[in-house]
Amino acid sequence: LVWADAGYAGRMVTFATKVLAFTVEIVKRADDQVGFKLLHRRWVVERTFAWISKYRRCVRDYERRIDTSEAMIHTAMIMTMSRRLAR
């Protein structure tokens, strides 16, 4: 299950369902909403991006190959999770 912002609705949902075999759930805000309101599950994505951005090589796109960039993201998450498990 993948949660996505309303900006990703449309072709991305179709691609993820057909090609990647993921179930995509779009998190939308209410039409009458004014100001900030915490959306269900959206904070999980924002928090994860913040954890990844703590590592310098993940902040900018230094890598030339996609697999190297993906490896840096895996490394950042491994380091984050291992620190949390070591507590």
Side-chain angles (χ1 to χ4, degrees), residues 26-38:
I26 302 297
V27 180
K28 296 181 180 179
R29 65 183 180 117
D31 293 333
D32 57 347
Q33 177 183 337
V34 177
F36 176 79
K37 183 179 178 221
L38 184 65

Side-chain angles (χ1 to χ4, degrees), residues 7 12 19 39 54 56 61 73 85:
M12 195 277 301
V19 177
L39 297 177
K54 284 177 33 179
R56 188 180 63 83
D61 193 13
I73 292 172
L85 290 172

Side-chain angles (χ1 to χ4, degrees), residues 6-17:
Y8 294 103
R11 290 177 47 188
M12 195 277 301
V13 175
T14 307
F15 173 79
T17 304

Side-chain angles (χ1 to χ4, degrees), residues 38-72:
L38 184 65
L39 297 177
H40 179 68
R41 288 294 179 191
R42 188 170 178 178
W43 64 272
V44 175
V45 176
E46 299 297 331
R47 178 193 63 196
T48 305
F49 285 154
W51 287 346
I52 292 171
S53 296
K54 284 177 33 179
Y55 297 93
R56 188 180 63 83
R57 273 181 90 169
C58 295
V59 174
R60 302 281 186 271
D61 193 13
Y62 295 119
E63 314 304 330
R64 293 186 180 185
R65 296 176 44 182
I66 294 175
D67 58 340
T68 309
S69 181
E70 184 180 349
M72 290 300 116

Side-chain angles (χ1 to χ4, degrees), residues 1-6 8-18 20-27:
L1 177 63
V2 177
W3 293 289
D5 190 52
Y8 294 103
R11 290 177 47 188
M12 195 277 301
V13 175
T14 307
F15 173 79
T17 304
K18 290 183 179 177
L20 303 174
F22 289 156
T23 302
V24 179
E25 182 179 316
I26 302 297
V27 180

